[in-house]
Every structure is written in structure tokens, then in C-alpha cells.
Amino acid sequence: METVGDLRRTHGCGELCVDHIGENVVLMGWVKRQRDHGGVIFFDLRDRTGIVQVVLSPDESGDVFAKGETARAEYVVAVRGEVRRRPPGTENPKMATGEIEVVAKELRILNTVRSLPFYPDEAESVDEALRLRYRYLDLRRPKYWEIFAMRHRAAQEIRNFLTRKGFLEIETPMLTRSTPEGARDYLVPSRIYPGRFYALPQSPQLFKQILMVAGFERYFQFARCFRDEDLRADRQPEFTQLDLEMSFISEEELFALVEEMLADLFSQVLEKNVKTPFPRLKYREALDRYGTDKPDTRIGMEITNVSALVAESSCKIFAQTVQKGGVVKGIRVPEGATFSRRVLDELSRLAVDWGARGLAWFVLGGEEVKSPLAKLFTAQEMEALITAMGGKPGDLLLFVADKDEVAGPVLANLRLELARRLQLAKPEDFSFVWITEFPLLEYNEDEKRWEAVHHPFTAPYEEDIGFLETAPEKVRARAYDLILNGTEIGGGSIRNYRRDLQEKIFRIIGLPEEEAQEKFGFLLEALDCGAPPHGGIAFGFDRLLMLMLGRETIRDVIAFPKTQSATCLLTQAPASVTPRQLEELHISILERAEQKSPR
RNA sequence: GGAGCUGUAGUGUAGCGGUUAACACGCCGGCCUGUCAAGCCGGAGAUCGCGGGUUCAAUUCCCGUCAGCUCCGCCA
């Protein structure tokens, strides 16, 4: 092995082209692959800029050639040599630098490799657990350079945009206090105060509101957030929010700003035109039409409620469901009549998995309707049902008869499943939709109390304030979510800026006066000190990037993600600490028969 | 907390109640002056995730467990 010595890199591998022919260059990078022909050796040399072929010939230097024979894939080398046009017939059109090659005059092996668990080349087919353990090998791929370059550009673009709009990027504490409501907190024990804990922020929510009270008017931050809840493909325990807050604004102004920001982002980073303004759906409307508050609006097949139509029909299953207060809702699958019986059975089984009692299907042929339920309807009833659904010959109609809370989500899932099978959603399409007018409160049956749907700082619609005490379920929140292709990428609200209203809401969600004072006293006090009307929104930055890049997991856009069981396979975190550390923090570990330890 | 899928040389896979556990890539050695997924010849490399059970016999069947993934619950 050798040192870099006096060699200084002059070019990136991928920067070289025919313009450099005849130049002497110094390259440094990784040997992607070595092809030893006995009499001549080729390297593909890779650095962050790309790949170029290096030729080692005994005609140039016996020493260089001998050294080259020992080089292996992923060795780190420095090459001094001359850029040359490849001999006619040996150009490689598959390489960006395929017209040229570098003839090595000097080769220094800067670092070697024992045997690697896998090579970056083959990582695509390697088990993800192994890739996470050796994340640096996985990341040693152009794919990831592109992802992280894009992540950087996106953040940069947003910073520039918000800066132009008068926003200040301000950091808020990572060591803060645990507050009730919301997700489970990650706690950090205090050394100085035995038995007391900081919490890592779930979001900078209260700090950004207080910045508004402070008069900053426009704030944003790429904020790391922590939530100790179970993971999913699009959920990590620590993630990055693009958080922003503004004073003296209405929903309309915020929507316009966000739409402009995203349109700018998509055009600058993806060269995609995003149509603004984004469509809006009221929460109730979203549930009625899509069965979910985060609909994928790339796909059609909206839900139709046929409850009224079948309430008196001769089909008892349908009629009785409606009479008992349930609903019968369906979707029309265009061209779905081609589905085999086996597929229909699969869909039925899925519907049952999702909680339905069953799935009623009607295959619309030219003349007749094929369905296990067909004979339960009179001809007129069937005709009316098909008309209501807009059914045409060749279509498939699917119905779920159940409580509304069951039928909606089942049909929502069916929509997605059908879209997958029929490939209805084009990955290159980006379909945004705002969901508005969420309910402010929701009754929690387990805890026998009302709780905030969004968070307790969300303002109710002024005209609904009167219902707060009489009919809390009727109160609409000035909250909004932004949905992209069926994934929630952002959410926010106009906040309560007056102490009396905030206290009233705390009271209704069953937060006793003293507790409200203890946990949120600083906020209430701030509201009392001249808080302006304000509101904001926060985006899941990782999620947004995942969608922009068409990736299926958020892990792909995070350099060092955690596993589904919240461990880091690279560092083996979480790990045990020394008794001394625990003692200093005044912590003792409960004895447990079986101690779970990550490994 | 629950459901499902996966776990076999370094990597990806095949396999089967009794085999010498197979193949490809990689690795090691040799040959080779125009390859670019180089080629040819040879070689090494596996307690079949772990524990228990059934069986004359288990990598194979059963139970448990661990790990990874997907989903439900959870995620103001």
C-alpha cells in the first residue's frame, strides 16, 4: 500500500471526455472492476462524478503493470496518466466516457480490501438487512448519489424559495419537555435533576408558535422529529419535517404559498409541471367519495352510495344492512368484467381481511348480469342499481354492505388493490389534493373523552365555536392535510391565538386546569402576551422525496435508516451503557426474566 | 401487542424424510495484449438462523425463538 504523496487529483472520472485527449490527468477513486488480459489490464475507475476506463500496459511501465495485477474490485487507487481516444472499434457506447480511456503512467494503491460481504454492483439484489449493516457499501452506488444529490437540491430549492418569501430559518431545541397527547416521546434523562427528563421533539410545534408571538412572522426549519411509535415503509422513528409558520394569514394565503413552493420545487428539481391551484376536498366529501381522508386521486372508481336505492329491495342482505343503520356502497370497475372467478374470490377474501362481511360482485355482460346475488333482485331493481352506478356492459360492480366505518375503508382499500392490479396509477403522475374541514374533536371510546383530531392548538371555525360545549362532534377544525398520490405529505392548521379559546379546548379534551397550566402554561402565557393570529404546516420531507423519486420506502432517501424494530444495523443502536453512566443519570434497569437485546 | 412472508457457502438462488447439499456470481491459483457482466482451466468455501420435538433417520415435518420485510393496532 502506498500514500498519496505528491499526487493531486486533477479531474473527476466522469468529467473526462474527448476534449481532454492528450492531457495528463490524475484521478483518484475506487476500482469498480478489473479485467486482466495477461498482456493488458483494464480498470473501470469510479468516483462520485462517474466512471472511466484505465488501461495498464507493460509497454508503458512494467512497474505500473505489476501493481495493476494485484488490484481488486473496490481498491482505492490514484492513477496518473494520459487521456487518449480509444482505438477504433473499442469504444463503449454504454459508458458516458466510452470514447476515451486513460493510459496509466503511474498507479498508487491507496487502500486495499479484504473480502467484502457484497459489492456495490450487486447490492440491488442483496438482502436489505445486510445492506444496512454495511450501509457504506450500499451507498457506494450512483443510485444513492443521485438520490442524495436530489435531496440536497430539493432542500436548497425550498430554502431559496422561502428566503425569497421573507422566511427566516430558525432552529428550535432538541432537548425539550414531554407534553401530553400525540405520539410516545423519546426521553433523555437529566443528569443534573434526578428523575427528570427531556423529550426529543415530535415536532417544533409550540416553539414555532412562540416564534410567532415573538414577532418573527415567517419561520421555517428543516426539523428533525422523533416519535417512538412502530415503523412502516414510510415511517421512521426520526425523520425530517419541513416546518413552517406564518402570522396574519388565512388558509387561502397559506395554500397559495405552498402550491407555489411545490410547483417551484417540482419544476426545478424534477422538471415536472405541477398544476396549481391544487383541488380541495372537504374531509366528509373525501370519505364519501373515496372512503379515506388520503385518497389517491390519480385513479377514478369513486364510491357510490346506493343505500337509499336498496333499502326496500328484495335483496335481504342489502335491505337489512340499511334498515339496521348501515350502508351499501359500491365502486364501478371499468372493463372489470374480464376478471376471472379466481380474481373475484381473491378480492372477496381481501375484503374480508379488511373487515367486511363479504364482497358482492356483479359482472355486467351484454345481456345478463353474472353474480351470486343476481337472482335476489328483480329486473327493475337490477336496472336501477346499474344505472345508479353508471354501469356499462363489460364493467364490474363491487359492493360492500356494512357499517359506514367498515364499508368506506374496505372500498378504499379495494380501489388501491384494483389500481395496482390494473396499473391505473401512473408513477410519473403527481396528483395533489388538499383535505379540509376535518372535525376538531373525536370521541375516544377507550379513554371516554374527546381528543383533538389534529392537535389541541388547532383553531375551530369561528362559526362553529358555539358547538364546542353542546355538540363537539360538529365543530370543524381549521386544519388541512396535503395528499400526494394517496400519501399524506403535509398537514397543518390555523392555530388558537387567544388564551380563552385555547383554555376552553383544553377543558373539552379533558385536560384539567392545573395540568394545562403545568404542561402548557408557557404557551398560555405567551398567548396572553400579544399573540398574533397565525398558522402553518409541516411536510414529511423524507416522504415527499420518496414520492418524487418513485421509491417504495422512506429508507431509500435516508442515509442511515433504522429497521422496522427501530434498531440501527450499522451501529447496533440502541446499545447498553455502563453502570457508571446509568448511575450518573440516576437510572436503574428493572429486572426482567428475558431481556431483549438487539443483535 | 397481532397477522403474513422470508432465513441453505461471501452474495443470490435450487433442493429434498436417507444426496458427497447443487447452480450462478464472487473469492484464491494458473493461462491469456482490447476487454468493458472479458474468456479458458483448476481450487477453496455451508455446524442449511437458533433451540426443542416427531422419526431408525430432519436442511426437509411440527412447536418455539431470533432477525429482516409488509400490514393491522399505534403514529396529536
Side-chain angles (χ1 to χ4, degrees):
Chain A
M1 242 179 293
E2 296 155 285
T3 57
V4 177
D6 56 351
L7 287 184
R8 296 292 175 267
R9 177 147 78 161
T10 61
H11 294 80
C13 296
E15 291 164 5
L16 296 177
C17 63
V18 288
D19 297 345
H20 298 89
I21 287 171
E23 278 185 46
N24 281 300
V25 298
V26 176
L27 304 175
M28 296 188 194
W30 288 261
V31 175
K32 179 170 178 273
R33 211 179 276 276
Q34 181 238 39
R35 292 178 294 277
D36 184 348
H37 286 241
V40 61
I41 299 171
F42 300 99
F43 282 175
D44 290 332
L45 189 66
R46 183 194 67 226
D47 64 21
R48 210 188 80 181
T49 63
I51 296 165
V52 72
Q53 172 162 287
V54 174
V55 192
L56 306 178
S57 158
D59 309 339
E60 292 292 336
S61 151
D63 172 53
V64 167
F65 188 78
K67 239 187 260 176
E69 284 188 305
T70 68
R72 297 289 176 270
E74 299 308 313
Y75 275 28
V76 185
V77 300
V79 174
R80 190 175 55 77
E82 187 190 325
V83 180
R84 178 171 87 178
R85 187 180 289 279
R86 291 197 187 188
T90 65
E91 303 89 350
N92 185 350
K94 283 186 280 185
M95 282 176 87
T97 59
E99 284 185 76
I100 52 152
E101 59 193 8
V102 174
V103 186
K105 301 257 166 48
E106 187 177 355
L107 173 70
R108 293 190 193 174
I109 294 181
L110 305 180
N111 213 342
T112 60
V113 156
R114 286 175 192 274
S115 76
L116 299 181
F118 62 89
Y119 290 83
D121 268 5
E122 58 181 353
E124 203 60 51
S125 63
V126 172
D127 183 63
E128 196 183 357
L130 198 68
R131 286 166 36 208
L132 289 176
R133 178 153 171 217
Y134 300 95
R135 186 64 166 167
Y136 41 88
L137 293 179
D138 195 20
L139 293 175
R140 202 130 93 192
R141 296 194 272 159
K143 172 188 130 176
Y144 279 110
W145 307 339
E146 282 160 23
I147 287 176
F148 286 100
M150 197 278 218
R151 186 175 174 128
H152 170 79
R153 280 204 311 278
Q156 207 65 2
E157 194 57 43
I158 289 169
R159 278 205 172 89
N160 291 341
F161 177 88
L162 292 174
T163 304
R164 289 199 296 275
K165 296 290 180 183
F167 284 76
L168 296 184
E169 184 169 16
I170 301 173
E171 288 156 286
T172 53
M174 301 295 272
L175 295 175
T176 178
R177 66 169 298 153
S178 178
T179 50
E181 307 268 322
R184 205 175 286 118
D185 283 318
Y186 277 100
L187 298 177
V188 179
S190 161
R191 171 180 58 87
I192 299 173
Y193 300 98
R196 295 218 224 160
F197 295 83
Y198 302 95
L200 302 180
Q202 295 182 27
S203 87
Q205 182 60 33
L206 295 175
F207 288 106
K208 69 173 172 175
Q209 289 191 234
I210 284 171
L211 288 172
M212 294 303 104
V213 179
F216 281 95
E217 297 198 19
R218 293 187 163 208
Y219 140 95
F220 83 99
Q221 180 182 193
F222 283 96
R224 200 62 80 79
C225 302
F226 304 85
R227 295 179 188 174
D228 188 2
E229 298 292 348
D230 288 332
L231 289 81
R232 289 286 187 282
D234 63 354
R235 256 162 50 188
Q236 283 272 308
E238 65 179 300
F239 59 99
T240 303
Q241 264 188 3
L242 167 61
D243 191 44
L244 55 95
E245 194 80 4
M246 285 179 277
S247 295
F248 310 116
I249 51 129
S250 66
E251 287 90 331
E252 293 303 327
E253 290 159 286
L254 182 132
F255 287 0
L257 179 105
V258 165
E259 286 165 0
E260 193 185 337
M261 179 183 81
L262 290 172
D264 178 75
L265 176 69
F266 274 68
S267 84
Q268 294 297 319
V269 175
L270 286 186
E271 294 176 3
K272 281 257 172 197
N273 282 319
V274 169
K275 229 175 75 193
T276 60
F278 301 156
R280 300 179 197 179
L281 273 178
K282 295 184 170 102
Y283 172 78
R284 188 62 246 172
E285 200 183 345
L287 289 190
D288 287 343
R289 287 169 57 185
Y290 300 99
T292 171
D293 60 3
K294 42 177 185 155
D296 188 337
T297 45
R298 285 174 302 177
I299 48 185
M301 297 191 291
E302 291 187 21
I303 294 171
T304 305
N305 187 344
V306 295
S307 304
L309 196 65
V310 299
E312 303 296 330
S313 78
S314 48
C315 172
K316 283 208 179 104
I317 305 168
F318 279 11
Q320 285 175 356
T321 300
V322 177
Q323 282 154 22
K324 277 189 260 169
V327 297
V328 178
K329 291 182 168 181
I331 54 177
R332 180 180 74 93
V333 187
E335 311 300 316
T338 53
F339 283 17
S340 66
R341 180 59 194 256
R342 196 173 60 86
V343 171
L344 293 170
D345 286 343
E346 277 170 21
L347 293 174
S348 302
R349 197 180 48 77
L350 282 170
V352 171
D353 284 350
W354 294 323
R357 281 170 303 175
L359 182 67
W361 50 263
F362 296 80
V363 176
L364 307 189
E367 292 290 301
E368 43 151 31
V369 174
K370 268 189 289 181
S371 169
L373 303 185
K375 57 183 179 300
L376 302 178
F377 290 88
T378 66
Q380 294 96 315
E381 283 169 355
M382 183 62 81
E383 190 62 40
L385 194 60
I386 293 172
T387 305
M389 296 297 296
K392 294 193 251 320
D395 288 348
L396 168 71
L397 304 181
L398 298 173
F399 294 94
V400 175
D402 217 308
K403 285 179 292 193
D404 199 19
E405 308 88 80
V406 175
V410 169
L411 288 167
N413 282 331
L414 269 174
R415 264 184 92 241
L416 296 179
E417 178 64 26
L418 289 163
R420 253 194 303 278
R421 287 173 187 251
L422 300 170
Q423 298 183 348
L424 296 178
K426 290 196 217 109
E428 69 274 17
D429 282 353
F430 293 98
S431 178
F432 292 92
V433 58
W434 289 105
I435 310 295
T436 63
E437 298 191 22
F438 284 83
L440 185 72
L441 303 161
E442 190 175 47
Y443 194 70
N444 183 322
E445 289 292 343
D446 295 336
E447 296 182 24
K448 300 280 177 241
R449 65 178 184 95
W450 289 92
E451 57 185 31
V453 169
H454 186 57
H455 59 54
F457 318 109
T458 298
Y461 275 80
E462 276 168 38
E463 59 267 39
D464 294 352
I465 291 178
F467 293 124
L468 269 174
E469 265 130 347
T470 53
E473 73 283 354
K474 281 194 189 161
V475 180
R476 292 164 302 153
R478 293 179 71 180
Y480 30 82
D481 279 354
L482 184 59
I483 310 301
L484 172 55
N485 296 352
T487 299
E488 181 194 328
I489 57 160
S493 62
I494 304 298
R495 329 294 183 187
N496 297 312
Y497 67 97
R498 292 215 342 237
R499 179 172 182 147
D500 53 349
L501 183 56
Q502 185 63 69
E503 283 182 320
K504 186 183 260 186
I505 287 166
F506 281 154
R507 209 158 49 239
I508 291 164
I509 63 171
L511 196 65
E513 192 100 20
E514 312 89 74
E515 201 183 336
Q517 195 50 239
E518 190 211 320
K519 304 272 171 61
F520 297 119
F522 65 100
L523 175 73
L524 294 171
E525 222 166 59
L527 296 182
D528 238 358
C529 293
H534 61 285
I537 190 166
F539 295 91
F541 188 56
D542 317 275
R543 253 187 216 179
L544 176 60
L545 291 165
M546 172 183 90
L547 293 173
M548 288 175 79
L549 286 157
R551 310 301 313 175
E552 289 193 344
T553 161
I554 203 175
R555 295 187 296 277
D556 281 355
V557 301
I558 295 175
F560 301 102
K562 302 214 167 23
T563 66
Q564 192 163 49
S565 47
T567 64
C568 172
L569 294 178
L570 180 74
T571 62
Q572 297 297 328
S576 32
V577 296
T578 64
R580 167 112 184 94
Q581 286 175 294
L582 289 177
E583 197 187 332
E584 212 164 39
L585 295 169
H586 326 285
I587 285 179
S588 70
I589 307 296
L590 293 176
E591 288 291 331
R592 277 273 196 78
E594 60 238 283
Q595 278 257 338
K596 201 176 170 179
S597 69
R599 175 71 275 253

